[in-house]
Amino acid sequence: MPNNASPVIHIAARCHSSVALMRASLRRFSLLLAGVFLLATCLLLYVSYRLEEAEEVKSLFYIKKAMEAIEDSAGSTVKDYAFWGDAYIHLHREVDTDWAFVRQNAGPTLYADFGFQGVFVVDGADRTVYSVIRGELESVEIADWLGQPIDGVVDQARAAAEYETSVTTVMNVDGMPAVIAAAALTPGTDPTVETDEGPESVIIFINVLDGDELEAIGADYGIRKLRVLAPNEVRSAAILPIGENGSAGTLHWDSENPGKRLLSVMLPMIGMAALIVLLMTWVLLRRTTLAARALDLSHTSLRNSQAALATSEQRFRDVAEASSDWIWEVDAQGRFTYLSERFQEVTGHSRDARIGTGIDELLRTETGTLSQWLRMPKHRPGISTQCSYIDHKGQTRITRLTARDMDGKGFRGTASDVTDEVEARRRIDYLSQHDALTGLPNRTRLQAFLDGKLKAAPTQDSPLVMLCLDLDRFKPVNDLLGHAAGDQVLNEVSGRLAECLRNGDLVARVGGDEFVLILTDVSSQDEVEALCGRLIKSIEQPVVMDEQEVFVSASIGIAMAPTDAREATELLRYADIALYEAKAAGRATWRFYAGDMNVRIIERRQLENDLRYAIKVGELRLHFQPRIRIADGVMMGAEALVRWRHPERGLIPPDTFIPIAEEAGLIAPLSDWVLHTACSSAKRWPEGVFVSVNLSSVEFQRGDVVKRVQNVLRETGFDPARLELELTESVMLEDATGALDVMRALKELGVRLTMDDFGTGYSSLGYLRSFPFDGLKIDRSFVNGLAENEDDKSIIQAIVGLGRALSLTVTAEGIETAEQLELLKAVHCDEGQGYFLSRPLDAEGFDALMASRKLGEQDPVIKFF
């Protein structure tokens, strides 16, 4: 019996002795009840305070998690762009706005798809060299746009480049928090791109969280009116400083105030109870005799009520400690004896129907029955487990259950629905390991899969096979049809790759159009080759979009563990090297990694470094081969031919080092040197003699050819009419519209344009009609067979006639005999060049040749026959 029942029993024992004594006892009883009401009110206030405090902690937890998720997402996104060989080439070595913005590799889609209001690239000198503001290309310093310096973030991003990680921070931008993610631009795992010396450029993504976005974030987590605390706004407990020491501002939100709701319900009830007690006391004072007898009779009832009150208070304290959505209680046999009203609202099940049923019939755990978990060693407050149940709609829901022992009489506790939280975690885990576009595993999932398979120690008889697959002819799909079409092609290819694999194998997307496939339980090399054949055949099937067929192919590089490597990074590198060999072999094929491939890559890189040094220190030399007017032997000009005599390897032919220059990004400085040297040398020649320079199709696509030619003409003071630029048909094949615009701009400078190697392409006639050419050169393959092959003679005669019809100068290359020269003269070919007329000569030899062939000072014409 509770202690506060003793005065009541004492009053009942003396009720017959004296009315006065009864009244005094009633007064003391009233004071005691007043104390009880005061104590209950204080307890209620305390519980309200704890509920408010728990709500604040929960809200703060969700907001912190939301901010962390935003920062993680920004950091992951910037890594995908930073550790990418193409981005390193087009944003670090030089800023190619056509690649980055126009082709949307790092442009408007970052704002439209990911919400980054600011995209910046800061070069090694901490200058902003590329900026996209809300999807628009602008020229603005990042510090000016942010209103504050960002040197610290840039330095941290460069320091993190060694580990291929990004850095994130939160800053205050115009009163709003901005999530800033930065990473240094590196080639990543691309073996064909070498890292330059000097500080890395840093790419920075900025997401300014304005009021609408903050409120949307809060809504996702059940937080009302999430906002930045205004300077004049009253500060409450519901705040979260963000940034370093709150430098990015303070988040504020409206709490649910469960404590206030509890007080609004319970305080009136306590007040009403107090009023009733006062009225009862007044009645008892008026009827002392009857009250004494009634008190005696109600003694037993009072004891039972006090016991129920003690049980209720104990239950209330347990619930307050557990802070739950709904309350439950089971007996020693695990049958429900109590369920709160909230149970029916959350689960949809009837409380009355569940009372008396076993807890295992409703709730299930992954490790065993809930009854077994309850019988584990004593459950202290706070110990919980995760359960699942089927709600009234037949859907599986997840709940977090807490429990405490009732001294062997059963268990009571709380249950909170965490279905949305669990699903959110699963979604975050999935996105962190899968490509957002295709749904295939990404680099993270690939690395984990590889590590697991390599730990299993594959053997020679049961190797682990890696296929590195890159799409051929994919870039024109993006350029001509748009990124939406490119995405559709990638999705279709992803599905086809997955269909070709078996259970237990893996296909991952690791780059724009690059995939990695991991094969297990492969018995022979023939089986791998058969799979490669099926893969290429499947990919080469047309992709139909909007009644248009798109065709792509694939090249595959193959590496095996443990034959080639035992580490994941090495296996990836060797597969990339094999892929490079497959592309060099003509694409749409596959190659297995071999040790000499790595040697060739190293040699090629060394040659690339040597070429870079040769351009820098002037090891290159320019030779000139005369072009003669066939009708009378007058020299009309000379073709400039670059030569490289390596100090150790000797003379290296142009067809060896020109492709290296194109791939290594050295073609522009090499071409600038050739143009400048050729124009400077030709300036000394007689006025009527021109110089012809070849342009690579790779440098022609860069978009700065016109400016570079203009700069050379201005620096050398060379007459544009004496400069001829030779182009191959591949220039038009890559981008006909863009090539036409560049060629028209070059013509406006006053230079001549000639189509080189005419007759070896697919649609040269169409190009001659549409493009502003001044001349064409007949490929040497037709001249070589001129004397023996009547077909070649007819072809040359037709080309000469075509040139005259289109008012083009026709030049024959590779004249090596007098007979060939006479035959060309017979068909009225305009000009010619070749070893029969003159070999290519260095500048001194060419000047000497001109001096020896010059007719005189009064007549500067140079004649060869």
Side-chain angles (χ1 to χ4, degrees), residues 467-495:
L467 308 182
C468 192
L469 184 147
D470 188 80
L471 298 184
D472 303 328
R473 303 193 302 273
F474 178 72
K475 185 176 181 296
V477 176
N478 270 338
D479 294 344
L480 301 177
L481 302 180
H483 284 279
D487 290 347
Q488 186 174 342
V489 170
L490 289 174
N491 275 312
E492 179 67 25
V493 169
S494 299

Side-chain angles (χ1 to χ4, degrees), residues 485-554:
D487 290 347
Q488 186 174 342
V489 170
L490 289 174
N491 275 312
E492 179 67 25
V493 169
S494 299
R496 295 178 184 180
L497 293 178
E499 289 176 357
C500 292
L501 297 187
R502 304 161 303 180
N503 292 334
D505 296 339
L506 179 81
V507 55
R509 182 185 177 214
V510 296
D513 60 345
E514 186 176 352
F515 301 84
V516 171
L517 292 78
I518 306 298
L519 312 178
T520 58
D521 297 329
V522 178
S523 58
S524 65
Q525 180 173 319
D526 292 340
E527 186 178 345
V528 177
E529 295 198 73
L531 174 61
C532 291
R534 291 197 305 272
L535 289 171
I536 293 176
K537 182 177 180 181
S538 176
I539 292 172
E540 287 179 341
Q541 296 299 314
V543 178
V544 181
M545 54 180 71
D546 297 330
E547 300 181 356
Q548 181 178 0
E549 291 186 340
V550 175
F551 294 88
V552 295
S553 186

Side-chain angles (χ1 to χ4, degrees), residues 459-665:
T459 63
Q460 299 283 351
D461 296 332
S462 181
L464 181 70
V465 181
M466 173 181 288
L467 308 182
C468 192
L469 184 147
D470 188 80
L471 298 184
D472 303 328
R473 303 193 302 273
F474 178 72
K475 185 176 181 296
V477 176
N478 270 338
D479 294 344
L480 301 177
L481 302 180
H483 284 279
D487 290 347
Q488 186 174 342
V489 170
L490 289 174
N491 275 312
E492 179 67 25
V493 169
S494 299
R496 295 178 184 180
L497 293 178
E499 289 176 357
C500 292
L501 297 187
R502 304 161 303 180
N503 292 334
D505 296 339
L506 179 81
V507 55
R509 182 185 177 214
V510 296
D513 60 345
E514 186 176 352
F515 301 84
V516 171
L517 292 78
I518 306 298
L519 312 178
T520 58
D521 297 329
V522 178
S523 58
S524 65
Q525 180 173 319
D526 292 340
E527 186 178 345
V528 177
E529 295 198 73
L531 174 61
C532 291
R534 291 197 305 272
L535 289 171
I536 293 176
K537 182 177 180 181
S538 176
I539 292 172
E540 287 179 341
Q541 296 299 314
V543 178
V544 181
M545 54 180 71
D546 297 330
E547 300 181 356
Q548 181 178 0
E549 291 186 340
V550 175
F551 294 88
V552 295
S553 186
S555 300
I556 303 174
I558 309 164
M560 296 184 177
T563 305
D564 300 325
R566 297 178 182 271
E567 298 292 333
T569 54
E570 289 295 304
L571 204 61
L572 280 166
R573 187 167 72 88
Y574 291 158
D576 270 340
I577 292 173
L579 173 62
Y580 180 85
E581 292 288 331
K583 285 186 172 292
R587 304 176 186 267
T589 185
W590 61 87
R591 288 291 182 271
F592 286 86
Y593 172 78
D596 59 345
M597 291 181 180
N598 199 26
V599 174
R600 288 198 296 271
I601 290 291
I602 293 173
E603 289 181 352
R604 188 179 183 88
R605 286 183 177 174
Q606 183 61 47
L607 198 60
E608 177 187 326
N609 292 333
D610 293 346
L611 178 59
R612 194 184 307 274
Y613 179 79
I615 296 173
K616 183 177 180 181
V617 302
E619 282 185 2
L620 300 175
R621 295 291 181 268
L622 208 59
H623 287 199
F624 300 94
Q625 185 174 31
R627 275 215 343 231
I628 311 302
R629 189 163 59 201
I630 294 177
D632 54 10
V634 173
M635 186 176 77
M636 305 303 297
E639 181 178 0
L641 303 170
V642 64
R643 296 290 184 264
W644 179 22
R645 184 167 295 278
H646 194 279
E648 297 176 358
R649 304 182 186 217
L651 185 65
I652 299 178
D655 56 358
T656 298
F657 68 83
I658 293 295
I660 294 176
E662 291 177 339
E663 293 182 12

